[in-house]
Amino acid sequence: MATNIAPGSGDEPQQNVEYILLAEFDIDQGAILKHQYPRPTGADDSHLAELMLPDGAHARESDWTMFFLNQKAPDDTGRVAEDGPPLLHVLNLVRTKHDKEVRRGAIVKAMAVCTRHRFIHIYQAILMLALENYYRVPTEDTLAELFKAANQMDLSCMPRLSRHETTILRFSDDQNMFEERFMELENERRLLDNLDRDSDRLEALHDSTGPTDMANSAGNDLAPGARRGASVDTSVNRVRGPSTTRNKDRRFFDTEIVYSGVKLPIRVPMTVYPEEIGDFSLIRLLTTFAGSVPAPSVSKVAHPHLESSGQYTHPIILLMNGLLTQKRIIFLGHGKPAGEVANYVLSAVALGSGGGGVLRGFANRAFPYTNLTNLDTLLSFSGYIAGVTNPAFEEHPEWWDLLCNINTGRITVSPALASPATSTPARSQADSLRRSLDSVSLSRNRSFSSREGKPDKWNNLDTDFIQDLMLAIERHYGEVAIRAKVENYVRRFMSLVPIYEYERTGATLLGDPALIASDKPGIDGYAISPGDKESRDNEIAFYQSRMD
């Protein structure tokens, strides 16, 4: 069984897949977890079964769900323990086969793979084949075959790119970027394969001939570079045989999984950021909620950190504020496939983290699909992002702070949400809110109205961001371009936070105080904040409630 080194995971070898799970619906017992291979996960069996058999699964032929294992709830200080088992991403396929000869007329089974890999969508094809095989042969041997095949997928020639290399490759038009990194590993593998073959030949010669005859014939059977006592240069750069892997799109690593005699081509994305999980569409999230007016809150409590422009706050900004301030966020899709709801959650993780590449920790508090059986775990997190299909969640606003209704495209602030206590700000929050209210005007048919007559451009930061996003989507920009715009927005905001903290408290853990206190042109502040102090201060005043 092949073991691989996951990119960015250190030097410890790991398996591609940690567990295979099988759940089925029993007419008498309900959802039950039938198998865990090769060993139990340590999670509650009934809890896993309920997640693998989502609400309404019997009503559709198939559905995909995603959830995570080994999530760690933060302590009273908001910190998350770094020790313990790693976060596992679970891709689950549930299928319903109608059969008039069984009770209720249908057989419902679900199979899942648990992996550390964030690119979990690469296992979809083999999961479909394996579940089909399990319907024919419902034994643990079917799970064992899947486990073996998935872990024999060879990732040893997949280079571990640094963050900067990943970013360059992500936005490069040259599909052969970092070709040498791939070629180095491929040539090393070719050399090792040649040495293994030569070793096998020597052993075969030793078994079939005597020592004297073996010495005479060895030179004829070994590789050309090893004949007549010639020295073999094992340097990877010197072993340059004819390559069949040049001119590939190096934004992907091509490999394969052989399952039940079927070769399944696999393309592993090389440009995945730390908080990007699976194959989701951020554009779909933006277009679903961008065109609607936020649902009016029945609460009389003001939430300037969420509704930064009052009643005119754009729904995407409302969601962004909720993500950055670690609110309890529910995506409700009543009657929707669980897989569709899960994709909205994964998209929200990318949105809040800055396209997946600026902030960390969103994945640990994300629940792509969950249900009422997981409510206690959900509420143990001070902030979460969860996807549900049960409308009962909407009737309990004490369980959530923001509810995003996928069916209607509306975002609701919970009437039970209390306004956060803040210290006396450096600038009046009322003034900041007044400027924000004066800067935007939302229409149901268009994102924002014209800003003519508003000379202070820094009062329209969120306006600029939303207009830029919507215009790019209208012009059919791709996912990578849209995520880049979100990344720039979050990175810009995060460059202001340490400045604000330093000016308020005289210290910060987020930036270099020496740079923040510097008055040198071009480095006034931290990272990529505006160069002139007046513009920077206006930006800080605009985002003051969110920062607090």
Side-chain angles (χ1 to χ4, degrees):
M1 182 177 299
T3 56
N4 302 291
I5 303 294
S9 65
D11 295 329
E12 296 181 1
Q14 68 177 51
Q15 295 176 314
N16 296 328
V17 170
E18 302 284 341
Y19 306 99
I20 305 293
L21 308 178
L22 192 287
E24 59 185 33
F25 184 83
D26 184 271
I27 189 65
D28 299 315
Q29 304 178 60
I32 58 173
L33 189 64
K34 191 79 172 181
H35 299 292
Q36 302 180 72
Y37 187 87
R39 60 192 178 277
T41 64
D44 181 76
D45 289 5
S46 60
H47 170 62
L48 289 175
E50 291 289 347
L51 291 178
M52 293 176 66
L53 298 169
D55 299 331
H58 62 279
R60 49 183 58 91
E61 183 177 339
S62 65
D63 195 3
W64 295 92
T65 61
M66 283 160 277
F67 55 94
F68 303 147
L69 296 180
N70 303 330
Q71 290 169 290
K72 304 176 181 70
D75 58 22
D76 295 337
T77 64
R79 297 183 181 274
V80 177
E82 297 182 0
D83 56 347
L87 184 69
L88 294 181
H89 312 100
V90 183
L91 177 66
N92 174 69
L93 171 62
V94 55
R95 180 167 291 172
T96 301
K97 289 201 171 184
H98 297 281
D99 188 342
K100 296 180 179 179
E101 297 181 359
V102 300
R103 295 168 65 186
R104 294 190 65 178
I107 303 174
V108 183
K109 298 181 185 294
M111 184 178 288
V113 295
C114 309
T115 175
R116 300 188 195 188
H117 295 157
R118 297 188 300 276
F119 36 84
I120 56 177
H121 57 284
I122 68 171
Y123 296 105
Q124 287 182 332
I126 190 174
L127 203 52
M128 293 172 65
L129 291 178
L131 184 54
E132 187 66 30
N133 283 350
Y134 186 85
Y135 267 100
R136 292 195 298 265
V137 186
T139 67
E140 194 173 80
D141 291 340
T142 304
L143 277 68
E145 183 183 10
L146 170 61
F147 184 80
K148 180 179 179 181
N151 282 302
Q152 285 181 336
M153 177 178 62
D154 188 8
L155 300 180
S156 61
C157 291
M158 185 171 72
R160 290 184 293 171
L161 301 180
S162 68
R163 169 57 191 273
H164 296 301
E165 289 173 329
T166 300
T167 302
I168 292 172
L169 185 59
R170 186 182 180 100
F171 297 104
S172 174
D173 293 329
D174 183 6
Q175 67 177 16
N176 293 320
M177 183 67 67
F178 302 119
E179 176 83 10
E180 69 283 353
R181 295 291 302 278
F182 291 85
M183 295 300 299
E184 181 179 358
L185 292 174
E186 290 165 3
N187 288 328
E188 182 178 355
R189 166 52 67 87
R190 191 176 300 112
L191 172 62
L192 293 175
D193 289 343
N194 288 338
L195 291 176
D196 288 340
R197 283 194 295 268
D198 290 344
S199 177
D200 292 340
R201 288 170 183 162
L202 286 173
E203 291 181 4
L205 286 171
H206 185 275
D207 294 338
S208 62
T209 65
T212 303
D213 295 334
M214 183 186 71
N216 293 330
S217 59
N220 297 323
D221 292 322
L222 291 179
R227 294 175 184 171
R228 294 180 297 278
S231 62
V232 179
D233 187 350
T234 58
S235 170
V236 171
N237 294 326
R238 299 291 184 88
V239 186
R240 291 277 185 181
S243 173
T244 60
T245 58
R246 287 185 179 276
N247 300 321
K248 286 188 176 182
D249 187 348
R250 294 306 189 181
R251 291 169 295 185
F252 300 90
F253 175 78
D254 293 317
T255 184
E256 66 180 17
I257 295 179
V258 181
Y259 176 74
S260 292
V262 179
K263 289 186 177 181
L264 301 171
I266 302 295
R267 304 200 81 193
V268 180
M270 295 295 298
T271 58
V272 177
Y273 279 163
E275 295 286 310
E276 289 180 312
I277 302 169
D279 187 18
F280 59 87
S281 173
L282 182 57
I283 293 176
R284 187 173 187 180
L285 170 70
L286 296 174
T287 53
T288 297
F289 294 100
S292 65
V293 177
S297 175
V298 297
S299 173
K300 297 182 180 180
V301 180
H303 305 289
H305 64 297
L306 289 177
E307 300 165 317
S308 51
S309 299
Q311 61 179 323
Y312 301 108
T313 303
H314 192 278
I316 298 301
I317 296 300
L318 178 62
L319 177 58
M320 177 69 81
N321 287 337
L323 291 166
L324 292 177
T325 56
Q326 201 168 332
K327 292 295 179 285
R328 300 176 300 171
I329 301 174
I330 288 284
F331 283 88
L332 171 62
H334 179 48
K336 298 281 187 181
E340 181 178 336
V341 176
N343 281 320
Y344 278 95
V345 174
L346 297 179
S347 300
V349 169
L351 179 68
S353 61
V358 181
L359 300 176
R360 295 178 298 172
F362 286 86
N364 180 68
R365 55 189 179 93
F367 300 81
Y369 171 75
T370 192
N371 50 35
L372 290 174
T373 64
N374 196 36
L375 183 61
D376 290 340
T377 301
L378 202 63
L379 297 181
S380 68
F381 285 72
S382 56
Y384 59 75
I385 314 162
V388 301
T389 59
N390 192 328
F393 280 88
E394 188 172 17
E395 301 170 0
H396 292 272
E398 68 275 11
W399 293 347
W400 44 268
D401 301 324
L402 289 180
L403 186 136
C404 308
N405 193 314
I406 298 172
N407 299 69
T408 63
R410 303 190 76 178
I411 301 178
T412 305
V413 178
S414 171
L417 177 62
S419 182
T422 59
S423 57
T424 304
R427 296 185 177 224
S428 169
Q429 288 191 359
D431 290 342
S432 176
L433 180 58
R434 176 182 53 77
R435 286 193 296 270
S436 299
L437 283 168
D438 197 35
S439 66
V440 292
S441 176
L442 180 64
S443 169
R444 185 170 183 83
N445 298 322
R446 50 184 176 153
S447 295
F448 278 88
S449 64
S450 172
R451 302 192 307 274
E452 295 179 1
K454 309 228 175 17
D456 187 358
K457 64 180 254 183
W458 299 113
N459 282 345
N460 301 285
L461 294 171
D462 288 343
T463 308
D464 293 337
F465 171 59
I466 293 298
Q467 287 187 333
D468 190 30
L469 275 181
M470 294 301 107
L471 182 61
I473 292 175
E474 289 176 6
R475 293 178 175 177
H476 305 289
Y477 280 47
E479 272 287 315
V480 173
I482 299 300
R483 295 182 197 185
K485 292 180 181 295
V486 173
E487 178 183 358
N488 291 337
Y489 175 84
V490 174
R491 193 177 298 280
R492 181 178 188 136
F493 169 72
M494 289 307 301
S495 72
L496 299 171
V497 174
I499 303 174
Y500 180 63
E501 184 181 30
Y502 181 80
E503 291 178 347
R504 288 280 303 273
T505 66
T508 179
L509 298 176
L510 299 177
D512 186 352
L515 290 179
I516 293 175
S518 173
D519 292 327
K520 295 179 181 179
I523 54 173
D524 183 14
Y526 171 77
I528 57 172
S529 60
D532 63 286
K533 192 174 187 303
E534 181 180 359
S535 297
R536 187 197 70 186
D537 289 345
N538 281 328
E539 281 196 78
I540 291 177
F542 184 84
Y543 290 125
Q544 179 180 305
S545 296
R546 181 196 288 172
M547 292 180 183
D548 283 334

